[in-house]
Amino acid sequence: MRTRLPGTSEDGDLCPVEAPLPNNVDFLLHQQLQQEQDVYANSTTNATTSPSIAPLTAPSQSSAAERTSPESPSVRQCPSKRDRNPGPSSSPGAGPLHLEHQPPSQQSQNQQHQQSFYARSRRSGNFNWKLSHSRNGSIEKPPPSFFSSSFSHSPSTPPLSLGAPANGAVHSKEMEKEQEQKFVGKRPRIRSPWAITFVTLLTSILGIGFLALVVNSSFTRHIDPKGCRMSYMRPGYAKFDDFDTEHTRFASKYSLYLYRELGIENDAKVKGVPVLFIPGNAGSYKQVRPIAAEAANYFHDVLQQDESAVKAGARSLDFFTVDFNEDITAFHGQTLLDQAEYLNEAIRYILSLYLDRTRSDRDPNLPDPTSVIVLGHSMGGVVARTMLIMPNYQANSINTIITMSAPHARPPVSFDSEIVKTYKDINDYWRHAYSQQWANNNPLWHVTLVSIAGGGLDTVVPSDYASVESLVPDTHGFTVFTTSIPNVWTSMDHAAILWCDQFRKALVKAIFDVVDVNRATQTKPRADRMRVFKKWFLTGMEEVAEKTVPSKDPSTLLTLEDNLNSVVAQGERLVLRSLGASGAVRAHLLPIPPSGSPEVKRFTLLTDQKLDISSENGRLEVLFCSVFPMQPGQAVAGFATQVNLAGEGSASTRLACNNAASDVVILPASVRSSQYPFSKDGEPPRMPFSYLQYDVEDIAEHQYVAVIEKANTPTPGFVIAEFSDVSQSHRTRHISLRRLLAFGMKFRLPSSRPMVSELKIPTMQSSLLAYNLEISEQNCGEQRELFAPLVRQYLTEPYESKFFVNAREAAVSIHGVAPYVPPPLKSRSTEDGLSFQFWTDPTCASNINIKMSIDVMGSLGKLYMRYRTVFAAFPLLVVTLVLRKQFRIYDNTGVFVSFSESLDLCLRQSIPLVLAFLTFLSLSNSSSSTTANIWNWANVTSGAIDFHQNDLLIGTQDPFFWFLIPVIGLICVGICTVFNYMTLILVHVLSTAVSLLSFRPGWIRNEERRKALPLPAFYPTSPRRRMVTTAILLVLVSTLIPYQFAYLVCCLVQLTTTVRAQRIASDLKSAANSNFYNYVHSILLLMLWILPINLPILAVWIRNLAVHWLTPFSSHHNLLSIMPFIILVETLTTGKMVPRVNSRFKHFTSVLLFGIALYAAIYGVSYAYMLHYLVNLVAAWLAIVHSTSDPWSVLSGIKHISCTLFDASNTSNVGGVNGTTNTVLAEERKMRKDP
């Protein structure tokens, strides 16, 4: 039994019919015919006779709804073969336009109007559209081939200039109704792209609210105070023009300079120790001037006058600096390698200057330099380490590297595959070198690396990334924060670390202290260098700090009277509230307890006076002494200093002593008027406290501690010295973070406390948490308070200390275990954690209550610096899941819903499920180290340190932070929602601007306005033009420009396509136009989220052009990385809607997008550059799907042949452009010829 298809006569012939339409959809055909009939009707208004014309009307909204009702579809009656000429009783809209009772002249005129009307209807330059076929009836019967069963078009009308032929599967009316009813039952109520549901709105508000709290907290809470004082200099630069292309291939791009401080160094001859300064990302060679100027002034004013320092090898420093033309090295690995190559050639050239007597003013008796001290700022520190792995590196030409705010642990951003690979190669080389058992196998055995971090004020690079604990052992380097450096004690931002006056003084003194021009290396041996750096950069209270008193020979002979007035009783505390009260020099002796006592003892001394060395005449001196038995005839000339405090004729005791000034620890002064540990610019500097701390085992060879008052007149000042039990002064509190968050922690310092108390909390290691510390007031009664409470917070690795003076409340934040930072070479002890030292006045007999709590709002601010790069990758999880839902609905129903509608559907199921899965994955990763090895790319053997274990997800294995994944997901949903509406606004603004530019003035005559036809939004493009455009762009990518530039062009073209699609969807409302607009809008959003990954490389390329460096990029010319984007974007410019995939291949789209979503969440932060390649696969797949309906594609050609062979009788309809329209017009022309 033959089944008559909709739109055919009883005998199966095709006829002009009106196919059923989906709900609330107006065919573009009817809109076009309505416009043409209006023109026709207006042109015949003034005719002498009024002919009876059957008008061709466009369906209204109500009539369209009636016609498309599944229960009663309205189909125009079609005449059979036996009755081609419809009678007068035919419906007015059933047939073509026909004339009745008109004179020949009028008939001829109307026929001309009709012919012009049909000619305009067939004109493809204005409207190029085709009727749908899948759910609204079909006029062709394609064969059951692979292509027809796999891909089909939208069930609704395609958009304007839809270039795809009407090919696809034929659906029966029953299947059609079933699918429509199924879709209508499930389809959300959202119609407009601007609409938003309550769930999406609430989720977005919560996400944006969390983001606002994070940003507000990062800028308002737990902000370190700024204490840097301004520095001044008189800079001068000498350029080495002869360092040209004969020495390096980068001579035309980079330049080498020698700094000279005007007024002190007036010539360009080298004369001292070479030091090379390397600027950072987009840095200037002039940034060397604060440090170089301080070095010149310090040598000229101090060291040059010190004969002992000159004899020890101190000389001036020749600071060389490099002009990189503000190259961007943080985003481009090849630029980093180019700079390292250039600097190795520069070092070779610098060392050659000292061999040229015409350019060197150096003492000829000194050995010629063979190495250079390197200072690196920011990425310049990474370049300094890269130099040692380059092929052109001259062996042993670098042995001392000092970096400032340099991201050693990981790249700042992972948008470039080259920068990620370069970092991996550098760090693997350094780790492998220091893993060698024997020094002969270690090429870096002589190299010392000190990384100095700015702390919390550095908002350019997280100071956590400055850690080198995962790269070098503590025998060759360490990481220290500026808040730990004595007399600095302040955090500083990324640029201030170069000009901060306190810091540059400490840095210059440390460099001069390691210099030794008597050696060819120009520096002291490695062990001595490490000792010097620890002396100048560490507080002196660390476990690695070396004490000099136990290893020195006695240098002072102290003679005292034989009386007990000056000896403090065992176990008592020495307290001096003022100095010089006796009017003479006086000594106080504290007996040192024997080292074999059951209780571990520690000696501490605190004073507000400077401790004198033996040759100084100050107010206070501290000595560690032993009884010196005087034998008859024994000489005392071996002592450099002799102090005789014994009266004439009285019995005396002689002590051989060592001065303790070399081991003094400088602490910030803490009095009631103190606000910060440093003195601000313009404030008079305050005298710091002097502190001594020894374990009894360190001074067991001595018998007494002698405190000598040198003041002869009463002088304000205090001294507190005591031996205390370690068990009373040290406490460890094991408390979980959950309990600390819920209840806080409290403890009490008793009234009979030692002067210094220490508290260690092992669980407080994460840099993601901020804490509040509260200290109660100490009550001294009628006695005067000697000093206000002083608090030091510190970590053992890296070396970070912060001081709080006059402490009542303290905002505590640390740089401990940080996200995405590799683990250290030496595993952390379970007892390591945040520690506190409390200096309190022990003479105040009152308890001190201390409370510690987690600052939740302050902790939110810590997420900004640690997770800001997450928002370049994690939102792609949301976007790809939303796009996946859109394609699934489209493939099943033929309706491509808007981004907002799809986001609402995802928020109800897929996004919560994915976030729950990722949270579970994070917990499993933190609970088992083997799980981390499964998910990591690197092959880690048993027992080896996995340096990539923190590359996953949120970058931490602490299960306490499981909630970060849902929080980040919530924030990303809010960001995606806001970004979607920002894109909608941008598109509508551009669309409005285009409409205004194409606005026709109101004074145009009606006749001209009638003749003016609407301009098409999508001009038909020929395959040749598209192929030529694509070929030209690909040739440029392969030769001159990076593919990131082509990607930017693709984004702009896609934006233009979206604007045009929006104009069509708003002017000609139909489901097809809405589908196409939603489709191109979602593709635009996907491409815009990938754009930030490509912009940094594009910025590097533009920067090279700006400095006239025309050498083509040596990277980023992979055609396959951009070709799918170009093809897809070019295809979308034709206005072609993506065909539906009805076979099992539709699951490929879903799996591909879901895989990208998971990758963006798991590896997106550490390997963000891969996101471009993965989205590139999506573009390639969509281009393949589009090609199945492309008239010039191979697949479409095969499909066309198969359709032709299946039904030869319908060859005029298969694959033809506007085939349905041509059939309708042909039938109408036949009917007009038959009277």
Side-chain angles (χ1 to χ4, degrees):
M1 179 178 179
R2 288 182 65 181
T3 302
R4 183 166 62 90
L5 298 177
T8 60
S9 60
E10 291 182 358
D11 54 0
D13 288 341
L14 298 175
C15 62
V17 298
E18 182 173 328
L21 305 175
N23 294 337
N24 300 326
V25 176
D26 294 333
F27 250 12
L28 298 181
L29 171 63
H30 297 283
Q31 296 181 357
Q32 178 183 1
L33 296 181
Q34 177 65 46
Q35 295 173 358
E36 299 294 346
Q37 184 183 353
D38 292 341
V39 175
Y40 171 75
N42 293 332
S43 64
T44 58
T45 303
N46 299 324
T48 56
T49 59
S50 300
S52 175
I53 301 177
L56 181 61
T57 60
S60 62
Q61 295 291 336
S62 59
S63 62
E66 293 175 0
R67 286 195 304 272
T68 56
S69 173
E71 290 78 7
S72 58
S74 175
V75 181
R76 290 189 297 171
Q77 300 297 325
C78 174
S80 64
K81 286 184 178 180
R82 295 183 299 271
D83 189 11
R84 290 291 187 181
N85 189 14
S89 60
S90 299
S91 174
L97 295 173
H98 54 280
L99 306 175
E100 297 180 0
H101 307 291
Q102 296 178 355
S105 60
Q106 184 67 27
Q107 288 184 1
S108 175
Q109 181 181 1
N110 290 340
Q111 287 178 2
Q112 291 177 0
H113 278 291
Q114 278 191 334
Q115 291 175 1
S116 63
F117 160 69
Y118 288 118
R120 289 196 300 270
S121 299
R122 295 190 298 270
R123 190 175 306 163
S124 61
N126 294 332
F127 294 93
N128 183 20
W129 50 266
K130 292 193 308 228
L131 291 176
S132 177
H133 60 277
S134 58
R135 288 171 50 216
N136 302 323
S138 177
I139 60 174
E140 58 180 272
K141 296 184 286 184
S145 63
F146 166 78
F147 303 105
S148 61
S149 61
S150 299
F151 304 100
S152 63
H153 292 292
S154 170
S156 54
T157 308
L160 279 175
S161 186
L162 189 65
N167 298 329
V170 178
H171 299 277
S172 65
K173 182 180 293 187
E174 292 77 14
M175 185 181 300
E176 213 172 278
K177 290 182 179 180
E178 182 179 353
Q179 289 184 356
E180 279 191 9
Q181 293 171 358
K182 180 178 179 181
F183 172 70
V184 170
K186 289 188 175 182
R187 184 177 180 182
R189 297 180 179 179
I190 300 178
R191 303 286 184 180
S192 171
W194 294 91
I196 185 171
T197 63
F198 176 76
V199 175
T200 305
L201 179 62
L202 179 62
T203 307
S204 302
I205 291 177
L206 290 177
I208 297 301
F210 268 112
L211 180 61
L213 290 177
V214 168
V215 175
N216 178 73
S217 176
S218 64
F219 288 100
T220 59
R221 303 178 68 92
H222 286 263
I223 303 299
D224 294 338
K226 298 180 180 180
C228 281
R229 294 191 293 268
M230 186 57 64
S231 56
Y232 302 93
M233 68 290 299
R234 299 181 300 272
Y237 305 93
K239 183 179 180 180
F240 294 97
D241 294 322
D242 55 343
F243 185 53
D244 51 16
T245 54
E246 294 183 0
H247 298 84
T248 174
R249 62 190 180 101
F250 298 102
S252 60
K253 184 180 182 182
Y254 304 144
S255 304
L256 181 65
Y257 291 85
L258 174 66
Y259 179 87
R260 282 294 180 250
E261 181 70 4
L262 300 182
I264 297 178
E265 302 164 324
N266 297 319
D267 58 11
K269 289 187 176 182
V270 294
K271 61 186 69 175
V273 178
V275 180
L276 178 62
F277 173 78
I278 307 176
N281 180 62
S284 170
Y285 69 99
K286 297 181 180 180
Q287 290 176 322
V288 71
R289 56 192 179 188
I291 300 175
E294 175 63 24
N297 286 281
Y298 182 70
F299 179 80
H300 181 267
D301 298 337
V302 179
L303 292 182
Q304 195 173 11
Q305 318 302 329
D306 189 351
E307 295 182 1
S308 60
V310 174
K311 186 177 180 180
R315 293 294 187 276
S316 62
L317 302 179
D318 295 327
F319 272 89
F320 296 86
T321 180
V322 182
D323 182 12
F324 285 135
N325 279 311
E326 300 181 358
D327 252 350
I328 303 175
T329 53
F331 307 139
H332 194 219
Q334 187 58 48
T335 300
L336 189 148
L337 296 176
D338 293 345
Q339 291 186 2
E341 178 184 342
Y342 175 82
L343 289 172
N344 280 329
E345 300 296 342
I347 287 181
R348 193 184 305 272
Y349 175 80
I350 290 171
L351 295 178
S352 68
L353 295 177
Y354 292 86
L355 303 178
D356 187 356
R357 297 307 173 189
T358 61
R359 312 190 70 170
S360 174
D361 195 13
R362 185 181 171 92
D363 187 353
N365 297 323
L366 296 176
D368 296 325
T370 60
S371 66
V372 175
I373 300 174
V374 176
L375 297 182
H377 173 244
S378 185
M379 288 301 296
V382 181
V383 174
R385 290 199 301 119
T386 310
M387 295 166 62
L388 280 73
I389 72 170
M390 298 298 292
N392 66 335
Y393 170 67
Q394 183 177 341
N396 301 325
S397 60
I398 299 175
N399 62 10
T400 304
I401 301 176
I402 302 176
T403 65
M404 296 160 285
S405 300
H408 293 290
R410 60 178 288 112
V413 291
S414 58
F415 296 164
D416 178 33
S417 60
E418 289 293 329
I419 196 72
V420 175
K421 180 180 181 301
T422 302
Y423 257 86
K424 183 179 183 303
D425 294 341
I426 299 169
N427 293 344
D428 288 347
Y429 178 86
W430 280 67
R431 289 167 183 154
H432 177 74
Y434 287 117
S435 66
Q436 301 302 314
Q437 183 177 3
W438 305 105
N440 294 334
N441 298 329
N442 183 3
L444 304 178
W445 180 256
H446 63 287
V447 178
T448 56
L449 174 62
V450 177
S451 176
I452 305 174
L457 290 179
D458 191 347
T459 58
V460 176
V461 176
S463 292
D464 306 287
Y465 293 0
S467 174
V468 295
E469 273 65 35
S470 63
L471 301 173
V472 297
D474 54 6
T475 57
H476 290 74
F478 58 87
T479 304
V480 64
F481 285 74
T482 55
T483 53
S484 303
I485 301 176
N487 291 315
V488 178
W489 299 317
T490 179
S491 178
M492 51 195 69
D493 59 48
H494 200 69
I497 199 170
L498 291 172
W499 56 260
C500 185
D501 187 57
Q502 306 100 298
F503 172 70
R504 68 168 184 165
K505 284 180 167 59
L507 177 61
V508 166
K509 291 177 182 178
I511 295 175
F512 274 113
D513 211 356
V514 300
V515 166
D516 185 1
V517 294
N518 298 315
R519 297 173 176 269
T521 58
Q522 304 299 292
T523 57
K524 297 176 180 179
R526 177 193 55 81
D528 294 340
R529 276 179 278 143
M530 287 299 301
R531 189 177 298 111
V532 169
F533 288 141
K534 291 176 181 178
K535 169 190 171 183
W536 286 104
F537 296 145
L538 301 185
T539 63
M541 293 177 283
E542 293 81 3
E543 295 181 358
V544 297
E546 299 181 7
K547 304 296 185 180
T548 60
V549 169
S551 61
K552 292 193 306 184
D553 294 331
S555 59
T556 302
L557 181 63
L558 178 62
T559 304
L560 301 175
E561 293 182 354
D562 287 341
N563 60 64
L564 300 178
N565 294 332
S566 60
V567 179
V568 180
Q570 186 78 32
E572 292 187 2
R573 179 185 296 122
L574 172 65
V575 178
L576 301 178
R577 293 186 173 272
S578 63
L579 302 179
S582 61
V585 179
R586 184 180 179 183
H588 305 272
L589 298 182
L590 283 78
I592 298 176
S595 59
S597 58
E599 293 290 339
V600 180
K601 299 284 186 177
R602 186 176 66 170
F603 171 75
T604 55
L605 181 146
L606 181 67
T607 179
D608 59 351
Q609 303 296 314
K610 179 180 178 295
L611 297 185
D612 296 341
I613 60 177
S614 300
S615 59
E616 290 182 338
N617 295 322
R619 299 175 181 178
L620 189 67
E621 186 174 354
V622 178
L623 304 173
F624 289 89
C625 305
S626 299
V627 175
F628 183 71
M630 191 66 179
Q631 300 297 332
Q634 184 177 2
V636 295
F639 294 96
T641 305
Q642 299 183 23
V643 179
N644 189 357
L645 301 181
E648 296 181 359
S650 61
S652 62
T653 300
R654 297 185 177 185
L655 303 176
C657 306
N658 285 334
N659 188 282
S662 59
D663 291 338
V664 69
V665 175
I666 303 299
L667 296 179
S670 179
V671 295
R672 285 303 174 184
S673 61
S674 300
Q675 185 178 6
Y676 301 111
F678 47 82
S679 298
K680 286 191 173 182
D681 204 1
E683 297 179 355
R686 186 185 299 272
M687 179 68 68
F689 287 176
S690 298
Y691 177 67
L692 291 175
Q693 175 179 300
Y694 294 94
D695 292 333
V696 172
E697 290 77 8
D698 295 336
I699 56 177
E701 297 181 357
H702 303 279
Q703 296 172 318
Y704 296 97
V705 178
V707 180
I708 302 176
E709 293 184 68
K710 293 184 177 182
N712 296 324
T713 58
T715 304
F718 72 89
V719 178
I720 301 177
E722 66 180 3
F723 284 92
S724 60
D725 295 336
V726 174
S727 60
Q728 296 180 359
S729 61
H730 288 68
R731 300 182 183 182
T732 301
R733 295 291 297 270
H734 294 277
I735 181 173
S736 66
L737 291 177
R738 295 176 180 85
R739 183 176 181 83
L740 185 63
L741 176 63
F743 307 104
M745 182 184 66
K746 299 179 181 179
F747 63 97
R748 174 181 298 177
L749 299 179
S751 58
S752 59
R753 62 186 178 273
M755 179 181 61
V756 183
S757 301
E758 292 196 19
L759 175 66
K760 179 178 290 186
I761 310 175
T763 55
M764 298 172 62
Q765 297 185 7
S766 176
S767 61
L768 295 177
L769 294 177
Y771 310 91
N772 287 327
L773 180 66
E774 300 178 7
I775 304 175
S776 66
E777 187 80 16
Q778 61 181 8
N779 185 12
C780 296
E782 297 181 356
Q783 293 183 344
R784 179 178 60 88
E785 185 182 51
L786 296 179
F787 63 95
L790 173 65
V791 179
R792 173 198 174 214
Q793 68 163 69
Y794 68 94
L795 292 173
T796 55
E797 284 188 358
Y799 298 118
E800 180 186 23
S801 296
K802 287 184 180 180
F803 293 92
F804 304 95
V805 297
N806 191 19
R808 293 294 178 265
E809 295 180 353
V812 178
S813 59
I814 61 176
H815 293 84
V817 180
Y820 305 109
V821 176
L825 294 175
K826 182 177 66 175
S827 60
R828 289 187 173 91
S829 172
T830 56
E831 296 297 320
D832 290 341
L834 182 61
S835 301
F836 293 91
Q837 279 184 296
F838 300 92
W839 286 268
T840 58
D841 188 352
T843 62
C844 298
S846 63
N847 299 329
I848 296 181
N849 298 318
I850 299 176
K851 180 181 179 181
M852 175 75 66
S853 61
I854 295 179
D855 186 358
V856 177
M857 296 302 299
S859 299
L860 289 178
K862 304 303 175 185
L863 301 178
Y864 172 74
M865 283 300 298
R866 276 77 180 187
Y867 287 110
R868 56 183 178 178
T869 56
V870 168
F871 300 112
F874 216 91
L876 201 61
L877 164 73
V878 179
V879 174
T880 50
L881 289 179
V882 170
L883 190 61
R884 171 178 173 268
K885 176 65 71 174
Q886 288 176 299
F887 273 106
R888 292 185 65 181
I889 294 176
Y890 176 67
D891 289 335
N892 293 330
T893 66
V895 176
F896 205 95
V897 298
S898 66
F899 186 89
S900 301
E901 185 175 358
S902 180
L903 178 60
D904 175 70
L905 296 176
C906 291
L907 287 176
R908 300 175 186 272
Q909 184 177 12
S910 58
I911 291 180
L913 290 179
V914 171
L915 293 180
F917 167 75
L918 294 175
T919 304
F920 173 78
L921 178 62
S922 176
L923 291 174
S924 63
N925 190 28
S926 61
S927 62
S928 174
S929 60
T930 57
T931 305
N933 293 340
I934 293 174
W935 286 92
N936 278 316
W937 292 351
N939 295 324
V940 182
T941 59
S942 178
I945 301 176
D946 182 12
F947 295 104
H948 299 279
Q949 65 184 6
N950 295 329
D951 289 349
L952 304 178
L953 293 170
I954 55 175
T956 179
Q957 298 190 20
D958 192 341
F960 178 78
F961 300 102
W962 64 269
F963 60 88
L964 286 181
I965 291 180
V967 169
I968 293 175
L970 183 64
I971 293 176
C972 290
V973 169
I975 293 176
C976 290
T977 303
V978 173
F979 188 75
N980 174 46
Y981 283 100
M982 290 176 60
T983 307
L984 287 174
I985 293 174
L986 175 63
V987 170
H988 279 70
V989 168
L990 294 178
S991 177
T992 304
V994 172
S995 300
L996 293 177
L997 293 177
S998 59
F999 176 75
R1000 297 183 180 276
W1003 56 81
I1004 296 181
R1005 291 180 299 175
N1006 291 335
E1007 293 79 2
E1008 297 180 357
R1009 186 175 301 177
R1010 293 191 195 101
K1011 296 179 181 179
L1013 295 176
L1015 295 176
F1018 289 96
Y1019 290 95
T1021 57
S1022 64
R1024 177 179 299 178
R1025 189 200 66 82
R1026 292 159 57 188
M1027 293 178 63
V1028 170
T1029 303
T1030 302
I1032 293 175
L1033 199 55
L1034 292 179
V1035 168
L1036 291 177
V1037 169
S1038 63
T1039 55
L1040 298 177
I1041 64 175
Y1043 69 78
Q1044 287 81 3
F1045 180 82
Y1047 184 82
L1048 177 61
V1049 174
C1050 290
C1051 289
L1052 295 178
V1053 173
Q1054 182 65 17
L1055 176 61
T1056 305
T1057 302
T1058 308
V1059 170
R1060 292 188 293 172
Q1062 191 276 334
R1063 292 185 61 197
I1064 296 176
S1066 60
D1067 294 342
L1068 305 176
K1069 298 183 181 300
S1070 68
N1073 294 337
S1074 177
N1075 282 352
F1076 184 72
Y1077 171 60
N1078 292 335
Y1079 171 54
V1080 296
H1081 176 78
S1082 297
I1083 296 298
L1084 176 63
L1085 290 178
L1086 181 65
M1087 295 179 65
L1088 290 180
W1089 275 116
I1090 302 298
L1091 185 60
I1093 300 177
N1094 295 278
L1095 286 181
I1097 303 299
L1098 185 60
V1100 175
W1101 179 69
I1102 295 175
R1103 182 62 191 172
N1104 285 346
L1105 295 181
V1107 298
H1108 306 289
W1109 180 251
L1110 303 180
T1111 303
F1113 255 15
S1114 57
S1115 59
H1116 305 285
H1117 293 289
N1118 188 358
L1119 296 181
L1120 297 180
S1121 299
I1122 193 60
M1123 184 184 297
F1125 284 112
I1126 297 176
I1127 296 176
L1128 177 62
V1129 169
E1130 280 289 329
T1131 302
L1132 295 180
T1133 57
T1134 64
K1136 182 195 305 182
M1137 183 62 185
V1138 61
R1140 294 169 58 191
V1141 183
N1142 295 325
S1143 70
R1144 62 183 180 272
F1145 286 97
K1146 68 180 179 181
H1147 300 297
F1148 181 80
T1149 306
S1150 180
V1151 171
L1152 180 60
L1153 292 173
F1154 188 77
I1156 296 176
L1158 291 182
Y1159 184 93
I1162 298 176
Y1163 291 104
V1165 177
S1166 299
Y1167 307 95
Y1169 66 91
M1170 284 295 299
L1171 298 177
H1172 173 90
Y1173 303 138
L1174 294 176
V1175 176
N1176 189 46
L1177 292 178
V1178 175
W1181 170 246
L1182 293 179
I1184 293 175
V1185 175
H1186 272 284
S1187 69
T1188 59
S1189 60
D1190 202 319
W1192 56 276
S1193 68
V1194 177
L1195 296 179
S1196 180
I1198 299 175
K1199 179 179 178 182
H1200 178 78
I1201 295 174
S1202 62
C1203 293
T1204 303
L1205 295 178
F1206 180 80
D1207 193 354
S1209 62
N1210 294 329
T1211 53
S1212 61
N1213 300 325
V1214 178
V1217 179
N1218 295 336
T1220 306
T1221 307
N1222 295 336
T1223 303
V1224 174
L1225 298 179
E1227 293 292 339
E1228 292 179 346
R1229 285 195 298 270
K1230 291 181 181 179
M1231 296 175 67
R1232 288 199 310 271
K1233 293 179 181 179
D1234 295 334

